[in-house]
Amino acid sequence: MVRDYRDSHISREKSRRYEEDIYRKNSYDDALWWWEQGLLKTEINILKGQINSISALDFGCGTGRITAVVEQMVDNSVGVDIADSMLEYARTKLTRTELIFADLTKNDVLKGREFQLITAFRIFLNSSPALRHEILTVLAPKLTCDGRMIFNMHGNIWSQRVFTKIYFWLRGHQLNTSSYRHARHMIVPHGFVIERFYGFGVIPKIFYRIFGARSMYALDRILSVLPLMKYISFDLVFVCKKS
Ligand SMILES: C[S@@+](CC[C@H](N)C(=O)[O-])C[C@H]1O[C@@H](n2cnc3c(N)ncnc32)[C@H](O)[C@@H]1O
């Protein structure tokens, strides 16, 4: 069992599983990614309408999933991760990104540099409260006043995730969850406010397996634009700015 989330993706096998199993074609996470990509592009385009030049930092960039989309749309792109095995995948995909192998919470090699866009996907849900605090402490001074930080929480407690959590709990295991309120409490002490947030994934994950990812995705897309549905969606994406 990994005690510190920092060590969670260090092993080669974990990195391989992340790239080839979790994000295998038509998996549930792959479907979430179809939706996240569109959202990221929309948000970067909004930001481009407000700011002339964008330098982007992808914190915990891992295999470069998010960075690969971001680097195509911004002027400068930096990705940082503590797991070299994850960065190995990123190096094969990224063409315009400065990749840094470091733990910024321990050694802030980007001290003094500022970014108009900071992304942090699939980082906070499974990090301990202490690590979340350390990450936000190091990221906050790096975001410009007119910049945006975009992050996700892929485990909203008020979604289908609650049933998985109960299932785990009955077996004596813990499953991490989050919510809009939880995310807000996490970022506000660091001088951020949520400008807007989105949600995707109302249909239970198992339906994707039974009925196929494409059809369930189409249904979830429709649900995602209905009012209030984001509150009961599995994957929450937050767009934040400095308060
Ligand atoms: C689940 S992966 C997400 C990767 C990528 N952001 C994505 O969404 O595909 C989490 C990543 O965060 C990295 N990580 C965890 N703690 C970190 C830290 N203190 N500094 C840099 N990276 C860290 C891990 O090594 C891992 O690659």
Side-chain angles (χ1 to χ4, degrees), residues 141-226:
K142 297 187 178 4
L143 188 71
T144 57
C145 292
D146 51 1
R148 295 293 181 274
M149 177 173 77
I150 307 178
F151 69 95
N152 84 326
M153 286 288 195
H154 55 295
N156 180 15
I157 182 70
W158 304 115
S159 71
Q160 44 168 306
R161 180 89 163 180
V162 73
F163 302 110
T164 324
K165 188 166 178 82
I166 293 168
Y167 177 85
F168 269 59
W169 177 72
L170 289 172
R171 275 153 189 76
H173 300 300
Q174 219 212 304
L175 183 70
N176 294 325
T177 51
S178 187
S179 64
Y180 168 77
R181 199 161 163 263
H182 172 242
R184 191 156 49 84
H185 282 174
M186 179 183 88
I187 60 159
V188 165
H190 293 275
F192 294 106
V193 284
I194 295 173
E195 187 176 27
R196 54 186 161 269
F197 82 102
Y198 305 87
F200 183 88
V202 174
I203 303 205
K205 195 171 179 169
I206 184 121
F207 283 29
Y208 275 69
R209 245 180 262 153
I210 299 171
F211 301 111
R214 290 280 162 191
S215 53
M216 291 302 103
Y217 177 74
L219 216 53
D220 253 335
R221 276 305 292 254
I222 296 169
L223 292 171
S224 72
V225 294
L226 298 182

Coordinates of all heavy atoms in Angstrom, one line a residue, residues 141-226:
P141 N 1.5 31.1 -5.6 CA 2.2 32.2 -6.0 C 2.6 32.2 -7.5 O 3.1 33.2 -8.1 CB 3.5 32.2 -5.2 CG 3.4 31.1 -4.3 CD 2.2 30.2 -4.6
K142 N 2.4 31.0 -8.1 CA 2.8 30.9 -9.5 C 1.7 31.3 -10.5 O 2.0 31.4 -11.7 CB 3.2 29.4 -9.8 CG 4.4 29.0 -9.0 CD 4.9 27.6 -9.4 CE 6.1 27.2 -8.6 NZ 6.6 28.0 -7.6
L143 N 0.5 31.4 -10.0 CA -0.6 31.8 -10.9 C -0.7 33.3 -11.0 O -0.7 34.0 -9.9 CB -1.9 31.2 -10.4 CG -3.1 31.4 -11.4 CD1 -2.9 30.5 -12.6 CD2 -4.4 31.1 -10.7
T144 N -0.7 33.9 -12.2 CA -0.8 35.3 -12.3 C -2.2 35.8 -11.9 O -3.2 35.0 -11.9 CB -0.6 35.8 -13.8 OG1 -1.5 35.1 -14.6 CG2 0.8 35.4 -14.2
C145 N -2.4 37.1 -11.6 CA -3.7 37.6 -11.2 C -4.8 37.4 -12.2 O -5.9 37.2 -11.9 CB -3.6 39.1 -10.9 SG -2.5 39.4 -9.5
D146 N -4.4 37.4 -13.5 CA -5.4 37.2 -14.6 C -5.5 35.7 -15.0 O -6.2 35.4 -16.0 CB -5.1 38.1 -15.8 CG -3.7 38.0 -16.2 OD1 -2.9 37.2 -15.7 OD2 -3.3 38.7 -17.2
G147 N -4.7 34.9 -14.4 CA -4.6 33.5 -14.8 C -5.7 32.6 -14.2 O -6.6 33.0 -13.4
R148 N -5.7 31.3 -14.7 CA -6.7 30.4 -14.2 C -6.0 29.1 -13.8 O -5.1 28.6 -14.5 CB -7.7 30.0 -15.3 CG -8.6 31.2 -15.7 CD -9.6 31.7 -14.6 NE -10.4 32.8 -15.1 CZ -10.1 34.1 -15.0 NH1 -8.9 34.4 -14.6 NH2 -11.0 35.0 -15.4
M149 N -6.5 28.5 -12.7 CA -6.1 27.1 -12.4 C -7.3 26.2 -12.6 O -8.4 26.5 -12.2 CB -5.7 27.1 -10.9 CG -5.3 25.6 -10.5 SD -4.6 25.5 -8.8 CE -6.1 25.6 -7.8
I150 N -7.0 25.1 -13.3 CA -8.1 24.1 -13.6 C -7.6 22.8 -13.1 O -6.5 22.3 -13.3 CB -8.3 24.0 -15.2 CG1 -8.5 25.4 -15.8 CG2 -9.5 23.1 -15.5 CD1 -8.7 25.4 -17.3
F151 N -8.5 22.3 -12.2 CA -8.2 20.9 -11.7 C -9.5 20.1 -11.6 O -10.6 20.6 -11.7 CB -7.6 21.1 -10.3 CG -8.5 21.6 -9.2 CD1 -9.2 20.7 -8.4 CD2 -8.7 22.9 -9.0 CE1 -10.1 21.1 -7.4 CE2 -9.6 23.4 -8.0 CZ -10.3 22.5 -7.2
N152 N -9.3 18.8 -11.4 CA -10.5 18.0 -11.3 C -10.5 17.2 -10.0 O -9.5 17.1 -9.3 CB -10.7 17.1 -12.5 CG -9.9 15.8 -12.4 OD1 -8.8 15.8 -11.8 ND2 -10.4 14.7 -12.9
M153 N -11.7 16.7 -9.7 CA -11.9 15.7 -8.6 C -12.7 14.6 -9.2 O -13.9 14.8 -9.5 CB -12.7 16.4 -7.5 CG -11.9 17.4 -6.7 SD -10.7 16.5 -5.6 CE -10.2 17.9 -4.5
H154 N -12.1 13.4 -9.4 CA -12.8 12.4 -10.1 C -13.4 11.4 -9.1 O -13.1 10.2 -9.1 CB -11.9 11.7 -11.1 CG -10.6 11.2 -10.5 ND1 -9.6 12.0 -10.0 CD2 -10.1 9.9 -10.4 CE1 -8.6 11.3 -9.5 NE2 -8.9 10.0 -9.7
G155 N -14.3 11.9 -8.2 CA -14.9 11.1 -7.2 C -15.8 11.8 -6.3 O -15.7 11.8 -5.1
N156 N -16.8 12.5 -7.0 CA -17.8 13.3 -6.3 C -18.6 12.3 -5.4 O -19.3 11.4 -5.9 CB -18.7 14.0 -7.3 CG -19.8 14.8 -6.6 OD1 -19.7 15.1 -5.4 ND2 -20.7 15.2 -7.4
I157 N -18.7 12.6 -4.1 CA -19.5 11.7 -3.2 C -21.0 11.7 -3.5 O -21.6 10.7 -3.3 CB -19.2 12.2 -1.7 CG1 -20.0 11.3 -0.7 CG2 -19.7 13.6 -1.5 CD1 -19.4 9.9 -0.5
W158 N -21.5 12.8 -4.1 CA -22.9 12.9 -4.5 C -23.2 12.3 -5.8 O -24.2 12.7 -6.5 CB -23.4 14.4 -4.3 CG -23.1 14.9 -3.0 CD1 -22.2 15.9 -2.7 CD2 -23.6 14.5 -1.7 NE1 -22.2 16.2 -1.4 CE2 -23.0 15.3 -0.7 CE3 -24.5 13.4 -1.3 CZ2 -23.2 15.1 0.6 CZ3 -24.7 13.3 0.0 CH2 -24.1 14.1 1.0
S159 N -22.4 11.4 -6.2 CA -22.6 10.7 -7.5 C -22.7 9.2 -7.3 O -22.7 8.8 -6.1 CB -21.4 11.0 -8.5 OG -20.3 10.3 -8.0
Q160 N -22.7 8.4 -8.4 CA -22.6 7.0 -8.3 C -21.5 6.5 -7.3 O -21.5 5.4 -6.8 CB -22.4 6.4 -9.7 CG -21.3 7.2 -10.4 CD -20.8 6.6 -11.6 OE1 -20.3 5.5 -11.6 NE2 -20.8 7.3 -12.7
R161 N -20.5 7.4 -7.1 CA -19.4 7.0 -6.3 C -19.8 6.6 -4.8 O -19.1 5.9 -4.2 CB -18.4 8.2 -6.2 CG -17.2 8.1 -5.4 CD -16.0 7.5 -6.2 NE -14.7 7.7 -5.5 CZ -13.6 7.2 -6.1 NH1 -13.6 6.6 -7.2 NH2 -12.5 7.4 -5.4
V162 N -20.9 7.2 -4.4 CA -21.4 6.9 -3.0 C -21.6 5.4 -2.9 O -21.4 4.8 -1.8 CB -22.6 7.8 -2.7 CG1 -23.9 7.3 -3.4 CG2 -22.8 7.7 -1.2
F163 N -22.1 4.7 -3.9 CA -22.4 3.3 -3.8 C -21.1 2.5 -3.7 O -21.0 1.5 -2.9 CB -23.3 2.8 -5.0 CG -24.6 3.6 -5.1 CD1 -24.8 4.5 -6.1 CD2 -25.6 3.4 -4.1 CE1 -26.0 5.2 -6.2 CE2 -26.8 4.1 -4.2 CZ -27.0 5.0 -5.2
T164 N -20.1 2.9 -4.5 CA -18.8 2.3 -4.4 C -18.2 2.5 -3.0 O -17.6 1.6 -2.4 CB -17.9 2.8 -5.5 OG1 -18.6 3.1 -6.6 CG2 -16.8 1.8 -5.8
K165 N -18.4 3.7 -2.5 CA -17.8 4.0 -1.2 C -18.5 3.1 -0.1 O -17.8 2.6 0.7 CB -18.1 5.5 -0.8 CG -17.3 5.9 0.4 CD -17.3 7.4 0.6 CE -16.6 7.8 1.9 NZ -15.1 7.8 1.8
I166 N -19.8 2.9 -0.2 CA -20.5 2.0 0.8 C -20.0 0.6 0.6 O -19.7 -0.1 1.6 CB -22.0 2.1 0.6 CG1 -22.5 3.5 1.0 CG2 -22.7 1.1 1.4 CD1 -23.9 3.9 0.6
Y167 N -19.8 0.2 -0.6 CA -19.4 -1.2 -0.9 C -18.0 -1.4 -0.3 O -17.7 -2.4 0.4 CB -19.3 -1.4 -2.4 CG -18.8 -2.7 -2.9 CD1 -19.6 -3.8 -2.9 CD2 -17.4 -2.8 -3.2 CE1 -19.1 -5.0 -3.4 CE2 -16.9 -4.0 -3.7 CZ -17.7 -5.1 -3.7 OH -17.2 -6.3 -4.2
F168 N -17.1 -0.4 -0.5 CA -15.7 -0.5 0.1 C -15.8 -0.5 1.6 O -15.1 -1.3 2.3 CB -14.9 0.7 -0.4 CG -14.1 0.5 -1.6 CD1 -14.8 0.1 -2.8 CD2 -12.8 0.6 -1.7 CE1 -14.1 -0.1 -4.0 CE2 -12.0 0.4 -2.8 CZ -12.7 0.1 -4.0
W169 N -16.7 0.4 2.2 CA -16.8 0.5 3.6 C -17.2 -0.8 4.3 O -16.7 -1.2 5.3 CB -17.8 1.7 3.9 CG -18.0 1.9 5.3 CD1 -17.2 2.5 6.3 CD2 -19.2 1.6 6.0 NE1 -17.8 2.5 7.5 CE2 -19.1 2.0 7.4 CE3 -20.5 1.0 5.7 CZ2 -20.0 1.8 8.3 CZ3 -21.4 0.9 6.6 CH2 -21.2 1.3 7.9
L170 N -18.2 -1.4 3.6 CA -18.7 -2.7 4.2 C -17.6 -3.8 4.2 O -17.7 -4.7 5.0 CB -19.9 -3.2 3.3 CG -21.2 -2.4 3.5 CD1 -22.2 -2.9 2.5 CD2 -21.7 -2.5 4.9
R171 N -16.6 -3.6 3.3 CA -15.5 -4.6 3.3 C -14.3 -4.0 4.1 O -13.2 -4.6 4.0 CB -15.1 -4.9 1.8 CG -15.9 -6.0 1.3 CD -16.1 -5.9 -0.2 NE -17.1 -6.9 -0.6 CZ -18.4 -6.7 -0.4 NH1 -18.9 -5.6 0.1 NH2 -19.3 -7.7 -0.7
G172 N -14.5 -3.0 4.8 CA -13.4 -2.5 5.7 C -12.3 -1.7 4.9 O -11.2 -1.5 5.4
H173 N -12.7 -1.2 3.7 CA -11.7 -0.4 2.9 C -12.2 1.1 2.8 O -13.4 1.3 3.0 CB -11.5 -0.9 1.5 CG -11.1 -2.3 1.5 ND1 -9.9 -2.7 2.0 CD2 -11.6 -3.5 1.0 CE1 -9.7 -4.0 1.9 NE2 -10.8 -4.5 1.3
Q174 N -11.2 1.9 2.5 CA -11.6 3.3 2.4 C -11.5 3.7 0.9 O -10.7 3.2 0.2 CB -10.6 4.1 3.2 CG -11.2 5.3 3.9 CD -10.2 6.4 4.0 OE1 -9.2 6.3 4.5 NE2 -10.6 7.6 3.5
L175 N -12.4 4.6 0.5 CA -12.4 5.1 -0.9 C -12.5 6.6 -0.8 O -13.4 7.2 -0.1 CB -13.6 4.6 -1.6 CG -13.7 5.0 -3.1 CD1 -12.6 4.3 -3.9 CD2 -15.0 4.6 -3.7
N176 N -11.5 7.3 -1.4 CA -11.5 8.7 -1.4 C -12.7 9.4 -2.2 O -13.0 8.9 -3.3 CB -10.2 9.3 -1.9 CG -9.1 8.9 -1.0 OD1 -9.2 8.8 0.2 ND2 -7.9 8.6 -1.5
T177 N -13.3 10.4 -1.6 CA -14.3 11.1 -2.3 C -14.1 12.6 -2.2 O -13.4 13.0 -1.3 CB -15.7 10.7 -1.8 OG1 -15.7 10.9 -0.4 CG2 -16.1 9.3 -2.1
S178 N -14.8 13.4 -3.0 CA -14.8 14.8 -2.8 C -16.2 15.4 -3.1 O -17.1 14.6 -3.3 CB -13.7 15.4 -3.8 OG -13.5 16.7 -3.5
S179 N -16.2 16.7 -3.3 CA -17.5 17.3 -3.6 C -17.2 18.8 -3.9 O -16.0 19.3 -3.7 CB -18.5 17.3 -2.4 OG -17.9 18.1 -1.4
Y180 N -18.2 19.5 -4.4 CA -18.0 20.9 -4.7 C -17.5 21.7 -3.5 O -16.6 22.5 -3.5 CB -19.3 21.5 -5.3 CG -19.2 23.0 -5.3 CD1 -18.5 23.7 -6.3 CD2 -19.9 23.8 -4.3 CE1 -18.5 25.1 -6.4 CE2 -19.8 25.2 -4.4 CZ -19.1 25.8 -5.4 OH -19.1 27.2 -5.4
R181 N -18.2 21.4 -2.4 CA -18.0 22.1 -1.1 C -16.5 21.8 -0.6 O -15.8 22.7 -0.2 CB -19.0 21.6 -0.1 CG -19.2 22.5 1.1 CD -20.5 22.2 1.8 NE -20.4 22.8 3.1 CZ -20.1 22.1 4.2 NH1 -19.9 20.8 4.1 NH2 -20.1 22.7 5.4
H182 N -16.2 20.5 -0.7 CA -14.9 20.1 -0.3 C -13.8 20.8 -1.1 O -12.8 21.3 -0.5 CB -14.8 18.5 -0.4 CG -13.4 18.0 -0.2 ND1 -12.7 17.3 -1.2 CD2 -12.6 18.0 0.9 CE1 -11.5 17.0 -0.7 NE2 -11.4 17.4 0.6
A183 N -14.0 20.9 -2.4 CA -13.0 21.5 -3.3 C -12.8 23.0 -2.9 O -11.7 23.5 -2.9 CB -13.4 21.3 -4.7
R184 N -14.0 23.6 -2.6 CA -14.0 25.0 -2.3 C -13.2 25.3 -1.0 O -12.4 26.1 -0.9 CB -15.4 25.5 -2.2 CG -15.5 27.1 -2.1 CD -16.8 27.6 -2.5 NE -18.0 26.9 -1.9 CZ -18.5 27.2 -0.7 NH1 -17.9 28.1 0.0 NH2 -19.5 26.5 -0.3
H185 N -13.5 24.4 0.0 CA -12.8 24.5 1.3 C -11.3 24.3 1.1 O -10.5 24.9 1.8 CB -13.3 23.5 2.3 CG -14.6 24.0 2.9 ND1 -15.4 23.3 3.7 CD2 -15.3 25.2 2.7 CE1 -16.5 24.0 4.0 NE2 -16.4 25.1 3.5
M186 N -10.9 23.5 0.1 CA -9.5 23.2 -0.1 C -8.7 24.4 -0.7 O -7.6 24.7 -0.3 CB -9.4 22.0 -1.0 CG -8.1 21.5 -1.4 SD -8.1 20.2 -2.6 CE -8.1 21.0 -4.1
I187 N -9.4 25.1 -1.6 CA -8.6 26.1 -2.3 C -8.8 27.5 -1.7 O -7.8 28.3 -1.8 CB -9.1 26.2 -3.8 CG1 -10.5 26.5 -4.0 CG2 -8.7 24.9 -4.5 CD1 -10.9 27.1 -5.3
V188 N -9.9 27.8 -1.1 CA -10.1 29.2 -0.6 C -9.0 29.7 0.4 O -8.5 30.8 0.2 CB -11.5 29.3 0.1 CG1 -11.6 30.6 0.9 CG2 -12.6 29.3 -1.0
P189 N -8.5 28.9 1.3 CA -7.4 29.4 2.2 C -6.2 29.7 1.4 O -5.3 30.4 1.9 CB -7.2 28.2 3.1 CG -8.4 27.3 3.1 CD -8.9 27.5 1.7
H190 N -6.1 29.3 0.2 CA -4.9 29.6 -0.6 C -5.1 30.8 -1.6 O -4.3 31.0 -2.5 CB -4.4 28.3 -1.4 CG -3.9 27.3 -0.5 ND1 -2.7 27.2 0.0 CD2 -4.6 26.2 0.1 CE1 -2.6 26.1 0.8 NE2 -3.7 25.6 0.9
G191 N -6.2 31.5 -1.4 CA -6.4 32.7 -2.2 C -7.0 32.4 -3.5 O -6.9 33.3 -4.4
F192 N -7.7 31.3 -3.7 CA -8.4 31.0 -5.0 C -9.9 31.1 -4.8 O -10.4 30.8 -3.7 CB -8.1 29.6 -5.5 CG -6.7 29.4 -5.8 CD1 -5.8 28.6 -5.0 CD2 -6.1 29.8 -7.0 CE1 -4.5 28.4 -5.4 CE2 -4.8 29.6 -7.4 CZ -4.0 28.9 -6.6
V193 N -10.6 31.4 -5.8 CA -12.1 31.2 -5.8 C -12.5 30.4 -7.0 O -11.8 30.4 -8.1 CB -12.9 32.6 -5.9 CG1 -12.8 33.3 -4.6 CG2 -12.4 33.4 -7.0
I194 N -13.6 29.7 -6.9 CA -14.1 28.9 -8.1 C -14.9 29.9 -8.9 O -15.8 30.5 -8.5 CB -14.9 27.7 -7.6 CG1 -14.1 26.7 -6.8 CG2 -15.6 27.0 -8.8 CD1 -14.9 25.6 -6.1
E195 N -14.4 30.0 -10.2 CA -15.2 30.9 -11.1 C -16.4 30.1 -11.7 O -17.5 30.6 -11.8 CB -14.2 31.3 -12.2 CG -14.8 32.3 -13.2 CD -13.8 32.8 -14.2 OE1 -12.9 32.0 -14.6 OE2 -14.0 33.9 -14.7
R196 N -16.1 28.9 -12.1 CA -17.2 28.0 -12.5 C -16.7 26.6 -12.4 O -15.5 26.3 -12.3 CB -17.6 28.3 -13.9 CG -16.5 28.3 -15.0 CD -17.0 28.7 -16.3 NE -15.8 29.1 -17.1 CZ -15.3 30.3 -17.2 NH1 -15.9 31.3 -16.5 NH2 -14.2 30.6 -17.9
F197 N -17.7 25.7 -12.4 CA -17.3 24.2 -12.4 C -18.3 23.4 -13.2 O -19.4 23.9 -13.5 CB -17.2 23.7 -11.0 CG -18.5 23.3 -10.3 CD1 -18.9 22.0 -10.2 CD2 -19.4 24.2 -9.8 CE1 -20.1 21.6 -9.6 CE2 -20.6 23.9 -9.2 CZ -20.9 22.5 -9.1
Y198 N -17.8 22.3 -13.7 CA -18.5 21.4 -14.6 C -18.6 20.0 -14.0 O -17.7 19.7 -13.2 CB -17.8 21.3 -15.9 CG -17.6 22.6 -16.6 CD1 -16.4 23.4 -16.4 CD2 -18.5 23.1 -17.5 CE1 -16.2 24.6 -17.0 CE2 -18.2 24.3 -18.2 CZ -17.1 25.0 -17.9 OH -16.8 26.2 -18.6
G199 N -19.5 19.2 -14.4 CA -19.6 17.8 -14.0 C -20.0 16.9 -15.1 O -20.7 17.3 -16.0
F200 N -19.4 15.7 -15.0 CA -19.7 14.7 -16.0 C -19.7 13.3 -15.4 O -18.9 13.0 -14.5 CB -18.7 14.7 -17.2 CG -19.0 13.8 -18.3 CD1 -19.8 14.2 -19.4 CD2 -18.5 12.5 -18.3 CE1 -20.1 13.3 -20.4 CE2 -18.8 11.6 -19.3 CZ -19.6 12.0 -20.3
G201 N -20.7 12.5 -15.8 CA -20.7 11.1 -15.3 C -21.8 10.8 -14.3 O -21.6 10.6 -13.2
V202 N -23.1 10.9 -14.9 CA -24.2 10.6 -14.0 C -24.5 9.1 -14.1 O -24.9 8.4 -13.2 CB -25.4 11.5 -14.5 CG1 -26.7 11.0 -13.7 CG2 -25.2 12.9 -14.2
I203 N -24.3 8.6 -15.3 CA -24.6 7.2 -15.6 C -23.6 6.3 -14.9 O -22.4 6.5 -15.0 CB -24.6 6.9 -17.1 CG1 -25.6 7.8 -17.7 CG2 -24.9 5.4 -17.4 CD1 -26.3 7.5 -18.9
P204 N -24.0 5.3 -14.1 CA -23.1 4.4 -13.4 C -22.1 3.8 -14.4 O -22.4 3.4 -15.5 CB -24.0 3.3 -12.8 CG -25.3 4.0 -12.6 CD -25.4 4.9 -13.8
K205 N -20.8 3.7 -13.8 CA -19.7 3.2 -14.6 C -20.0 1.8 -15.2 O -19.6 1.5 -16.3 CB -18.6 3.0 -13.5 CG -17.2 2.9 -14.1 CD -16.2 3.0 -12.9 CE -14.8 2.8 -13.3 NZ -13.9 3.2 -12.2
I206 N -20.7 1.0 -14.4 CA -21.0 -0.4 -14.9 C -21.8 -0.4 -16.2 O -21.6 -1.3 -17.0 CB -21.7 -1.2 -13.7 CG1 -21.9 -2.7 -14.2 CG2 -23.0 -0.7 -13.3 CD1 -21.2 -3.7 -13.3
F207 N -22.6 0.6 -16.3 CA -23.5 0.7 -17.6 C -22.6 0.8 -18.8 O -22.9 0.4 -19.9 CB -24.5 1.8 -17.5 CG -25.7 1.5 -16.6 CD1 -25.6 0.6 -15.5 CD2 -26.9 2.1 -16.9 CE1 -26.7 0.4 -14.7 CE2 -28.0 1.9 -16.1 CZ -27.9 1.0 -15.0
Y208 N -21.4 1.5 -18.6 CA -20.5 1.7 -19.7 C -20.0 0.3 -20.2 O -19.7 0.1 -21.3 CB -19.3 2.6 -19.3 CG -19.6 4.1 -19.4 CD1 -20.6 4.7 -18.6 CD2 -19.0 4.9 -20.4 CE1 -20.8 6.1 -18.7 CE2 -19.3 6.2 -20.5 CZ -20.2 6.8 -19.7 OH -20.4 8.1 -19.8
R209 N -19.8 -0.5 -19.2 CA -19.2 -1.9 -19.5 C -20.3 -2.7 -20.2 O -20.1 -3.4 -21.1 CB -18.7 -2.6 -18.2 CG -17.2 -2.8 -18.3 CD -16.8 -3.5 -17.0 NE -16.2 -2.5 -16.1 CZ -16.2 -2.7 -14.7 NH1 -16.7 -3.7 -14.2 NH2 -15.7 -1.7 -14.0
I210 N -21.5 -2.6 -19.7 CA -22.6 -3.5 -20.2 C -23.1 -3.0 -21.5 O -23.2 -3.8 -22.5 CB -23.8 -3.5 -19.2 CG1 -23.4 -4.1 -17.8 CG2 -25.0 -4.3 -19.7 CD1 -24.4 -3.9 -16.7
F211 N -23.4 -1.7 -21.6 CA -24.0 -1.2 -22.9 C -23.0 -0.6 -23.9 O -23.4 -0.2 -25.0 CB -25.1 -0.2 -22.5 CG -26.2 -0.8 -21.6 CD1 -26.3 -0.4 -20.3 CD2 -27.0 -1.8 -22.1 CE1 -27.3 -0.9 -19.5 CE2 -28.0 -2.3 -21.3 CZ -28.2 -1.9 -20.0
G212 N -21.8 -0.4 -23.5 CA -20.8 0.1 -24.4 C -20.5 1.6 -24.1 O -21.5 2.4 -23.8
A213 N -19.3 2.0 -24.2 CA -18.9 3.3 -23.8 C -19.5 4.4 -24.7 O -19.9 5.5 -24.2 CB -17.3 3.4 -23.8
R214 N -19.5 4.2 -26.0 CA -20.0 5.2 -26.9 C -21.4 5.7 -26.7 O -21.7 6.9 -26.6 CB -19.9 4.7 -28.4 CG -18.4 4.6 -28.8 CD -17.8 5.9 -29.3 NE -16.4 5.8 -29.3 CZ -15.6 6.9 -29.4 NH1 -16.1 8.1 -29.5 NH2 -14.3 6.7 -29.4
S215 N -22.3 4.7 -26.5 CA -23.7 5.0 -26.3 C -23.9 5.7 -24.9 O -24.7 6.7 -24.8 CB -24.6 3.8 -26.4 OG -24.2 2.8 -25.6
M216 N -23.3 5.2 -23.9 CA -23.4 5.7 -22.5 C -22.8 7.1 -22.5 O -23.3 8.0 -21.8 CB -22.8 4.8 -21.5 CG -23.5 3.5 -21.3 SD -25.2 3.7 -20.8 CE -26.1 3.4 -22.3
Y217 N -21.7 7.3 -23.2 CA -21.1 8.6 -23.3 C -22.1 9.7 -23.9 O -22.2 10.8 -23.4 CB -19.8 8.6 -24.1 CG -19.1 9.9 -24.2 CD1 -18.5 10.5 -23.2 CD2 -19.2 10.6 -25.5 CE1 -17.9 11.8 -23.3 CE2 -18.6 11.8 -25.6 CZ -17.9 12.4 -24.6 OH -17.3 13.6 -24.7
A218 N -22.7 9.2 -25.0 CA -23.7 10.1 -25.6 C -24.8 10.5 -24.7 O -25.2 11.7 -24.6 CB -24.2 9.5 -26.9
L219 N -25.2 9.6 -23.9 CA -26.3 9.9 -22.9 C -25.8 10.8 -21.8 O -26.4 11.8 -21.4 CB -26.7 8.5 -22.3 CG -28.2 8.3 -22.0 CD1 -29.1 8.7 -23.2 CD2 -28.4 6.9 -21.5
D220 N -24.6 10.5 -21.3 CA -24.0 11.3 -20.3 C -23.7 12.8 -20.8 O -23.8 13.7 -20.0 CB -22.7 10.7 -19.8 CG -22.8 10.1 -18.4 OD1 -23.7 10.6 -17.6 OD2 -22.0 9.2 -18.0
R221 N -23.4 12.9 -22.1 CA -23.2 14.2 -22.6 C -24.5 15.0 -22.5 O -24.5 16.2 -22.2 CB -22.8 14.1 -24.1 CG -21.3 13.9 -24.4 CD -20.4 14.9 -23.7 NE -20.5 16.3 -24.3 CZ -19.6 16.8 -25.1 NH1 -18.6 16.2 -25.4 NH2 -19.8 18.1 -25.5
I222 N -25.6 14.4 -22.8 CA -26.9 15.1 -22.8 C -27.2 15.5 -21.3 O -27.5 16.6 -21.0 CB -28.0 14.2 -23.3 CG1 -27.8 13.9 -24.8 CG2 -29.4 14.8 -23.1 CD1 -28.7 12.8 -25.4
L223 N -26.9 14.5 -20.4 CA -27.2 14.8 -19.0 C -26.3 16.0 -18.5 O -26.7 16.8 -17.6 CB -27.0 13.6 -18.1 CG -28.0 12.4 -18.4 CD1 -27.6 11.2 -17.7 CD2 -29.4 12.9 -17.9
S224 N -25.1 16.0 -19.0 CA -24.1 17.0 -18.5 C -24.5 18.4 -18.7 O -24.0 19.3 -18.1 CB -22.7 16.7 -19.0 OG -22.7 17.1 -20.4
V225 N -25.4 18.6 -19.7 CA -25.8 20.0 -20.0 C -27.1 20.4 -19.3 O -27.6 21.5 -19.4 CB -25.9 20.3 -21.5 CG1 -24.5 20.3 -22.1 CG2 -26.8 19.4 -22.2
L226 N -27.7 19.4 -18.6 CA -29.0 19.7 -17.9 C -28.7 20.4 -16.6 O -27.7 20.1 -16.0 CB -29.8 18.4 -17.7 CG -30.2 17.6 -19.0 CD1 -31.1 16.4 -18.6 CD2 -31.1 18.5 -19.9

